[in-house]
Amino acid sequence: MSSSSLGKLVKITVAIQVVTLVASYLAWVSDGCDPFIPFISDTDTNPASSWAFTVGFTFTGVLMVPLSFHFYQSRRNWEQENKESRIGRMNLISAISASISGISLILISYTPWHEQMELHMVQARMIFGGSMIWALLSTAISYRMLELDTRFSSLFRARRNWTVFSMACLLGLAISVYSYAGLSLAIPEGHMDTVLECSNLGNSSLSVAAFFEWLMVIGFAGVTYTGVQEARLMDQ
């Protein structure tokens, strides 16, 4: 795949993800639900917003799988010309992690957590874990690229900043859930009652946790978008 085509695929994937988040939230609020603030998965429990969640994240997941493969190929080609970079193993693991995240995103689109809580939570951990591994390794890869070519400096800085932002949001999410649920870090079943009523989400700690979740996903989208610059640089 050419660098321009790869860049377009990145832009389309990120655009669909962002539109999905916005559409799901607006549909949730327009149905009279509490605006501050649902977990992203809460919007899949309400028929008014579940269509956006399911359709949008299905398409996002479907695009993430070939995107991870094409980045793997592009980085592999670059490594063959820059063997001292030693990014092969990181490249492979990052591609696998991104693919797992994409496949899990497709599956979670059809696993509302008020119907299959345990399975939904496993899929969510696969999505966030895979995305975080991909972000960290992609940042490390861009640093290896920077060591051999200073043109990658702006790419490394942008990717590092988005990754640190995402990690900080993940930490905020974990602390907020812990302050409510303790070491289990599990969303209490009682939260489902307030979600299904679609009125008041009740506990402020969970709303803060949800706020960090939205920010973390936006951070992952930012990391993904840096792929536009990476594709362009590797083709020069």
Side-chain angles (χ1 to χ4, degrees):
M1 176 177 282
S2 67
S3 61
S4 60
S5 297
L6 182 55
K8 289 178 182 177
L9 182 57
V10 172
K11 291 178 180 179
I12 292 172
T13 302
V14 173
I16 292 176
Q17 182 179 0
V18 172
V19 168
T20 299
L21 291 171
V22 173
S24 298
Y25 179 76
L26 291 180
W28 165 274
V29 173
S30 67
D31 198 47
C33 298
D34 191 357
F36 189 79
I37 189 169
F39 286 98
I40 296 173
S41 293
D42 288 346
T43 64
D44 194 28
T45 66
N46 185 346
S49 53
S50 63
W51 65 269
F53 182 100
T54 299
V55 173
F57 285 125
T58 296
F59 277 108
T60 302
V62 167
L63 290 176
M64 283 176 64
V65 176
L67 185 63
S68 64
F69 172 77
H70 287 302
F71 265 108
Y72 170 77
Q73 287 292 103
S74 180
R75 291 168 176 174
R76 185 181 181 187
N77 293 337
W78 185 88
E79 184 194 16
Q80 289 176 348
E81 298 177 0
N82 300 270
K83 296 186 183 300
E84 62 272 34
S85 65
R86 304 186 308 281
I87 65 171
R89 184 174 299 177
M90 290 191 295
N91 185 27
L92 177 61
I93 296 174
S94 67
I96 293 173
S97 299
S99 295
I100 291 174
S101 180
I103 293 170
S104 299
L105 188 59
I106 297 171
L107 295 175
I108 206 171
S109 300
Y110 301 92
T111 314
W113 69 349
H114 66 297
E115 295 179 2
Q116 302 181 71
M117 168 67 85
E118 293 184 2
L119 179 58
H120 183 99
M121 293 303 294
V122 170
Q123 293 166 347
R125 291 186 178 101
M126 297 290 282
I127 293 168
F128 294 151
S131 297
M132 186 59 74
I133 292 171
W134 178 81
L136 289 168
L137 291 178
S138 292
T139 302
I141 288 171
S142 61
Y143 180 74
R144 291 282 181 87
M145 292 173 171
L146 169 61
E147 290 181 318
L148 299 176
D149 189 339
T150 56
R151 293 181 302 119
F152 288 90
S153 60
S154 60
L155 169 65
F156 169 70
R157 287 196 302 272
R159 188 165 283 169
R160 176 198 61 195
N161 292 342
W162 279 115
T163 298
V164 170
F165 175 79
S166 300
M167 291 181 66
C169 292
L170 177 59
L171 179 61
L173 167 61
I175 292 174
S176 298
V177 173
Y178 171 77
S179 68
Y180 186 88
L183 289 175
S184 67
L185 294 181
I187 305 301
E189 293 184 5
H191 178 69
M192 290 294 100
D193 296 331
T194 59
V195 169
L196 294 175
E197 290 176 1
C198 191
S199 55
N200 188 338
L201 293 178
N203 188 273
S204 60
S205 295
L206 292 182
S207 292
V208 171
F211 179 68
F212 279 119
E213 181 195 34
W214 286 81
L215 291 181
M216 179 178 64
V217 172
I218 292 172
F220 288 145
V223 176
T224 302
Y225 194 77
T226 62
V228 175
Q229 184 180 7
E230 179 180 337
R232 184 174 63 250
L233 288 171
M234 286 195 293
D235 195 45
Q236 292 178 354

